[in-house]
């Protein structure tokens, strides 16, 4: 891997170090990748795990799962903020604190670990008695204070476990504090500042660390670096857990199934729709969703489908589009930008759904305006020829078929009549003159 090459001769080989990377927002794909990598390191008897990190933060659930995996490791884990210009913000700071060793490259930074939902500067003013002793303002709402206090307790426990600066960790949560690499080293937030991986391993050599309750001395000279590659499964998970892709799959699934129901036997739309729907639901299950938003989306889709099967001249469809658009805006229960739906994408889906509803509504209106040309109703108004007649009953020939009929007593074989009513397998007929007279009257 470029930038991480580490030379070692066969004679110097003293084991291997497994290298993994976190780049971008931390989410379900990151959790899966790191979980697989840590398991691979255990199974291969690796001496060390290095996590090269450059992240703006991510989902709390994914972060905590990664930390649980790190704390359960019986191999030393080093989190390394790399390369220069990288950061370990928000969730990345927690992971850094949870690792056995924390290292940074010059030109990197960490911190700003305030839960993002309460990090926005929109809280109302507070009275002095709502401030901490050090003057740090507290979040306005009870739920926000609970979230901050929970985050503080969590990062302080990690700091105390690893012997790092717990006070600064709390400041990173309450005040969104950040530090450069050298400042972090001076304040006992990290253990090492290293230019590259070679320098990192050199500085780690001979250090002692407690792993799984046992103190060990690291021997990192001559370790062979092996990068754990991202599997295709993780790549697929990273793609489908993009909220925009997940929603698109959901809509493809719904419209595919709807088209299949409207055109039974098409097969392809139904198959593609079912697969897309299941994948979309799986992706949404991996994301922090708001059930009110999901309920509105389901309601909106249901109303749009109802418009297709029971045309209401657009009433159901318009309501469905409105519910769908509003549901998508509140669907995800997170303020992490990388896991938010793009507003232009929501607008595009809304416009597409509205166009589809208008098309279905117009088709429904047109069907009411057109004369029925199939079924028994199509025979109303058709011309027929009397085949035999007696006592107001007989048989008529219409559309190449022989039908039972009733009508005026004075009809005779060969007379031309008009079908005026259908009841079961019997039709009522009348003469043209009778119908004309009724109209004139």
């Amino acid at each position: 891997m470029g930038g991480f090459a580490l030379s070692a001769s066969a004679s110097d080989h003293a084991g291997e170090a497994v290298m993994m990377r976190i780049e971008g927002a931390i989410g379900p794909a990151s959790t899966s990748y790191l979980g697989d990598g840590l398991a691979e390191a255990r199974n291969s008897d690796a001496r060390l795990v290095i996590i090269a990190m450059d992240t703006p933060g991510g989902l709390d659930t994914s972060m905590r799962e990664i930390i649980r995996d790190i704390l359960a490791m019986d191999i030393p884990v080093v989190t390394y903020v790399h390369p220069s210009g990288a950061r370990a913000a928000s969730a990345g700071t927690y992971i850094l604190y949870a690792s056995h060793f924390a290292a940074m490259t010059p030109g990197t930074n960490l911190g700003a670990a305030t839960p993002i939902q309460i990090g926005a500067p929109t809280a109302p003013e507070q009275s002095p008695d709502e401030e901490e002793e050090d003057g740090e303002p507290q979040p306005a709402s009870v739920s926000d204070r609970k979230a901050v206090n929970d985050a503080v307790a969590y990062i302080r426990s990690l700091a105390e476990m690893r012997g790092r600066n717990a006070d600064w960790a709390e400041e990173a949560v309450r005040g969104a504090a950040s530090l450069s690499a050298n400042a972090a080293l001076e304040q006992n937030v990290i253990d090492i500042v290293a230019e590259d991986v070679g320098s990192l391993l050199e500085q780690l050599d001979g250090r002692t660390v407690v792993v799984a309750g046992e103190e060990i001395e690291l021997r990192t000279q001559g370790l062979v670096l092996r990068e754990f590659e991202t599997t295709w499964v993780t790549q697929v998970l990273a793609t489908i857990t993009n909220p925009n892709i997940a929603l698109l799959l959901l809509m493809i699934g719904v419209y595919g199934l709807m088209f299949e129901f409207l055109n039974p036997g098409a097969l392809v739309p139904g198959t593609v729709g079912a697969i897309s729907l299941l994948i979309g639901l799986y992706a949404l299950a991996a994301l922090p969703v708001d059930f009110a938003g999901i309920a509105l989306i389901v309601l909106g889709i249901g109303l749009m489908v109802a418009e297709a099967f029971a045309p209401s001249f657009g009433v159901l469809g318009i309501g469905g589009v409105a519910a769908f658009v509003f549901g998508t805006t509140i669907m995800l229960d997170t303020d992490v930008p990388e896991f938010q739906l793009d507003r232009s994408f929501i607008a595009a889906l809304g416009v597409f759904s509205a166009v589809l509803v208008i098309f279905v509504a117009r088709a429904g209106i047109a069907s009411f305006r057109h004369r029925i040309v199939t079924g028994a109703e199509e025979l109303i108004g058709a011309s027929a020829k009397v085949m035999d007649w007696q006592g107001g009953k007989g048989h008529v020939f219409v559309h190449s078929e022989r039908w039972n009929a009733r009508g005026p007593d004075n009809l005779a074989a060969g007379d031309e009549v008009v079908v005026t009513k259908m009841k079961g397998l019997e039709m009522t007929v009348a003469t043209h003159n009778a119908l004309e007279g009724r109209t004139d009257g």
Side-chain angles (χ1 to χ4, degrees):
M1 178 171 60
F4 290 137
L6 183 65
S7 61
S9 64
S11 60
D12 293 331
H13 190 283
E16 68 176 15
V18 175
M19 168 76 76
M20 292 177 284
R21 290 193 290 176
I22 298 179
E23 295 178 340
I26 294 170
S30 306
T31 303
S32 174
Y33 166 68
L34 286 176
D36 291 343
L38 294 174
E40 170 68 18
R42 282 195 299 267
N43 295 334
S44 63
D45 294 326
R47 302 291 183 86
L48 187 70
V49 173
I50 301 174
I51 302 174
M53 177 185 293
D54 179 11
T55 179
L59 301 178
D60 178 77
T61 52
S62 298
M63 173 198 77
R64 289 177 182 261
E65 189 169 343
I66 290 171
I67 289 175
R68 281 196 295 270
D69 288 341
I70 291 175
L71 297 181
M73 285 293 289
D74 55 3
I75 303 169
V77 176
V78 182
T79 297
Y80 182 34
V81 186
H82 183 86
S84 184
R87 57 178 169 165
S90 190
T93 301
Y94 290 82
I95 294 173
L96 198 73
Y97 262 82
S99 303
H100 298 93
F101 290 99
M104 297 175 70
T105 298
T108 59
N109 67 282
L110 82 162
T114 306
I116 194 166
Q117 293 92 331
I118 56 181
T122 56
E125 293 185 2
Q126 297 168 301
S127 59
D129 59 346
E130 290 179 302
E131 297 186 354
E132 285 190 326
E133 293 179 359
D134 60 0
E136 186 69 39
Q138 289 291 291
S141 70
V142 173
S143 61
D144 287 351
R145 287 197 291 273
K146 285 181 177 179
V148 166
N149 292 333
D150 177 70
V152 166
Y154 190 45
I155 201 167
R156 284 192 73 96
S157 68
L158 296 174
E160 292 165 1
M161 175 184 292
R162 301 306 187 198
R164 299 199 176 100
N165 190 331
D167 292 335
W168 183 87
E170 180 170 347
E171 177 63 20
V173 175
R174 294 196 186 278
S178 295
L179 286 176
S180 64
N182 290 328
L185 183 63
E186 291 173 2
Q187 296 192 37
N188 189 34
V189 172
I190 63 172
D191 307 293
I192 296 171
V193 173
E195 292 280 352
D196 53 32
V197 178
S199 174
L200 173 64
L201 292 178
E202 184 178 334
Q203 294 185 57
L204 284 171
D205 190 58
R207 297 199 180 208
T208 59
V209 62
V210 176
V211 180
E214 180 181 352
E215 185 176 288
I216 63 173
E217 183 177 350
L218 294 182
R219 290 286 180 260
T220 57
Q221 288 291 336
L223 286 181
V224 173
L225 194 66
R226 177 171 65 86
E227 182 181 356
F228 181 75
E229 298 290 345
T230 303
T231 64
W232 69 268
V233 175
T234 302
Q235 293 173 349
V236 169
L237 183 61
T239 300
I240 65 174
T241 51
N242 179 318
N244 298 303
I245 300 298
L247 183 59
L248 180 62
L249 288 170
L250 186 66
M251 296 310 297
I252 291 175
V254 170
Y255 288 134
L257 292 177
M258 185 171 68
F259 188 84
E260 180 70 31
F261 290 145
L262 291 173
N263 300 271
L267 297 181
V268 173
T271 302
V272 173
I275 293 173
S276 299
L277 183 62
L278 290 174
I279 295 175
L281 291 174
Y282 171 79
L284 289 178
L287 295 170
V289 296
D290 186 305
F291 290 104
I294 293 295
L296 282 170
I297 291 175
V298 172
L299 175 62
I301 292 173
L303 291 175
M304 287 186 282
V305 171
E307 180 67 45
F309 286 94
S312 63
F313 308 108
V315 175
L316 292 175
I318 292 172
V321 171
F324 172 78
V325 171
F326 187 69
T328 55
T329 59
I330 65 172
M331 180 181 71
L332 293 172
D333 187 20
T334 177
D335 289 335
V336 178
E338 290 78 5
F339 290 96
Q340 285 290 299
L341 286 166
D342 188 277
R343 294 189 181 276
S344 60
F345 181 72
I346 294 176
L349 279 181
V351 170
F352 176 79
S353 299
V355 170
L356 183 64
V357 166
I358 292 172
F359 174 78
V360 171
R362 289 189 63 182
I365 293 172
S367 67
F368 279 97
R369 291 177 177 173
H370 292 162
R371 182 176 178 272
I372 298 173
V373 295
T374 60
E377 291 81 1
E378 179 266 341
L379 293 172
I380 305 298
S383 295
K385 186 175 182 179
V386 177
M387 299 179 66
D388 57 79
W389 203 261
Q390 184 176 5
K393 294 182 180 180
H395 298 90
V396 298
F397 192 75
V398 57
H399 288 189
S400 303
E401 294 179 334
R402 183 173 180 268
W403 285 82
N404 294 324
R406 64 170 58 243
D409 293 336
N410 58 350
L411 292 179
D415 288 348
E416 295 289 336
V417 293
V418 178
V419 179
T420 60
K421 184 179 179 181
M422 289 291 302
K423 185 177 182 181
L425 298 177
E426 185 180 67
M427 58 179 55
T428 301
V429 298
T431 63
H432 288 280
N433 291 335
L435 290 178
E436 291 172 1
R438 186 187 308 170
T439 302
D440 293 341

